[in-house]
Structures are given as C-alpha cells and as structure tokens.
Amino acid sequence: GAVVSQHPSRVICKSGTSVKIECRSLDFQATTMFWYRQFPKQSLMLMATSNEGSKATYEQGVEKDKFLINHASLTLSTLTVTSAHPEDSSFYICSAVTAPLYEQYFGPGTRLTVT
Amino acid sequence: AQKVTQAQTEISVVEKEDVTLDCVYETRDTTYYLFWYKQPPSGELVFLIRRNSFDEQNEISGRYSWNFQKSTSSFNFTITASQVVDSAVYFCALSEAGNAGNMLTFGGGTRLMVKP
C-alpha cells in the first residue's frame, strides 16, 4: 500500500514555542490530507482538512491561528502548533488521500510534549 | 451527523479465547464506508478492513472476521483464538459522502488485553 511519513515522530518543546510537523505522501500525490489529534486514552478527532493550494478547513473548536496548516504541494502538508502550551501535548496523526481511488492512508503519528 | 459508538471501552480475555468487539454507527447517508483499525502501543494505526454500505457479506481473514448488519447499523469484529499480540486498542470508523477518502469519524475505541 501507499506510504505516508511524518516528521518528527516525537518532539518535546517548551511552552510558548512553535513546532512544525510534516506529513508526506511518499509514493503518491494527495490532493487532500487530514490532521487528527489523539489525547491519551482517547479517540482520534479530526482537526482539519488540508487541500493542496487552498486554505485548510478547520473543525469546530480548533483554532486556525494556533494550528497553522500549509498544503503547499501534492505530497506535503505541514501543521505548525504556534505558541504551544502543555494542553497541546497530544498525538498528532495525518492521513493522505489518493486519487482517483480515494483511499486514505495514515502516517505513523507525531507525539508532541510541551513542557 | 455521523456517529460511531464502541460501547466496550476495555475487554480482557485469556489467550485462545474468542472475543467480539462491537461497533454501532449512525449516518444519514445511503453510501458510506466502515473501517476497523488496530492501534498498538507504538501508536501507528494499522488498517484491518474497509467495507462499503452495499456489501453486507461477512468477511473472514485468518483469525479475524467481521459481521456487517445494516438492519442494526452494526459492524462487529471477532478475533478467534486470541493471542497476546492482539493486545491493542481497536477503532471502528465511518466515512460518509460516498467515498472512502473522506474524513473518518472514529468510535471511542476498545482496549483489548489478552493475557497469557
């Protein structure tokens, strides 16, 4: 199957700093990528839908100015957590959708810890 | 709005027992997709199965089997002769709007612990 990578896999940052997470589709082009967040012992919740060349669509309750999403190419979407706080500590997972089969593949996730 | 419910938050079994993980969904769409994923402690989601709403045939893959019943909006997952390596969190998920590449709505997950 198709491969989606995320970088970094694990990051620790200090409160108030920003951190960027990359999501790449390695062997296919993805016009759509999704960003999910998973708090400890909870389910995955959709944060935003990222479409190549256009602004991301955020789910209710997700601050677009705090979670900046850039989908600059058909193989890369980035999520930047700005001015991170301890409550942003979570597992962030992206997925990428192939065209034209519309199959969705998940990245391995990025564990963010804000101290 | 779509919703997926996994009523069992945690199940504990002894190795070689059979175990069924329940999944009930709600959707207004007539065309949709249902999924099961396994999430081991590493966190990476492992795809197990995808079914579309027009295919109600049960499926068996090795020790895994799935029972899809539209009449009860359920998509249950059974592991036969469970093994310690099956210990993980299992998520049922739903994708609406007629294609599997749409956003997924996940159930709350069921943590399965298989003891030796």
Side-chain angles (χ1 to χ4, degrees):
Chain A
V3 178
V4 176
S5 71
Q6 280 185 244
H7 178 79
S9 57
R10 191 178 287 266
V11 58
I12 301 173
C13 70
K14 291 187 176 180
S15 188
T17 61
S18 296
V19 61
K20 180 187 286 188
I21 302 170
E22 293 184 349
C23 176
R24 291 183 187 272
S25 55
L26 298 185
D27 49 2
F28 66 97
Q29 293 185 330
T31 54
T32 300
M33 291 184 175
F34 297 104
W35 286 96
Y36 296 84
R37 179 168 55 183
Q38 184 181 27
F39 291 110
K41 298 196 175 183
Q42 293 188 26
S43 186
L44 286 80
M45 298 296 292
L46 180 70
M47 296 177 67
T49 302
S50 169
N51 291 302
E52 187 266 338
S54 63
K55 290 184 178 180
T57 303
Y58 292 83
E59 294 301 299
Q60 194 171 11
V62 178
E63 300 174 57
K64 62 180 181 180
D65 295 329
K66 180 172 182 60
F67 298 98
L68 303 179
I69 292 174
N70 187 325
H71 194 153
S73 77
L74 289 172
T75 59
L76 173 65
S77 176
T78 60
L79 168 67
T80 301
V81 183
T82 62
S83 188
H85 288 101
E87 56 265 30
D88 298 323
S89 298
S90 186
F91 192 54
Y92 292 87
I93 305 176
C94 73
S95 69
V97 180
T98 66
L101 295 180
Y102 299 109
E103 295 182 338
Q104 188 168 165
Y105 295 91
F106 283 87
T110 296
R111 195 167 300 281
L112 169 64
T113 303
V114 184
T115 60
Chain B
Q2 64 272 31
K3 184 179 178 181
V4 178
T5 302
Q6 294 179 253
Q8 308 145 307
T9 55
E10 205 166 286
I11 300 176
S12 181
V13 299
V14 176
E15 211 171 15
K16 297 185 183 177
E17 285 186 16
D18 297 348
V19 59
T20 296
L21 283 60
D22 298 333
C23 173
V24 174
Y25 62 93
E26 296 176 29
T27 176
R28 293 182 179 176
D29 278 12
T30 55
T31 304
Y32 52 89
Y33 289 82
L34 294 163
F35 303 77
W36 274 96
Y37 288 90
K38 174 182 180 180
Q39 188 178 44
S42 65
E44 185 163 0
L45 288 177
V46 177
F47 169 81
L48 297 178
I49 190 171
R50 178 184 80 185
R51 299 303 292 240
N52 72 55
S53 52
F54 298 108
D55 184 0
E56 282 193 78
Q57 282 193 354
N58 291 334
E59 181 155 339
I60 299 175
S61 176
R63 296 185 296 107
Y64 296 169
S65 63
W66 291 269
N67 185 337
F68 178 25
Q69 295 203 349
K70 287 178 77 170
S71 60
T72 56
S73 297
S74 65
F75 186 43
N76 296 337
F77 171 34
T78 298
I79 301 175
T80 303
S82 59
Q83 299 176 2
V84 173
V85 293
D86 296 327
S87 298
V89 180
Y90 291 85
F91 289 100
C92 179
L94 167 72
S95 173
E96 288 187 327
N99 74 73
N102 205 6
M103 53 160 276
L104 297 186
T105 297
F106 286 86
T110 297
R111 182 176 301 275
L112 174 65
M113 293 176 289
V114 182
K115 300 177 181 178

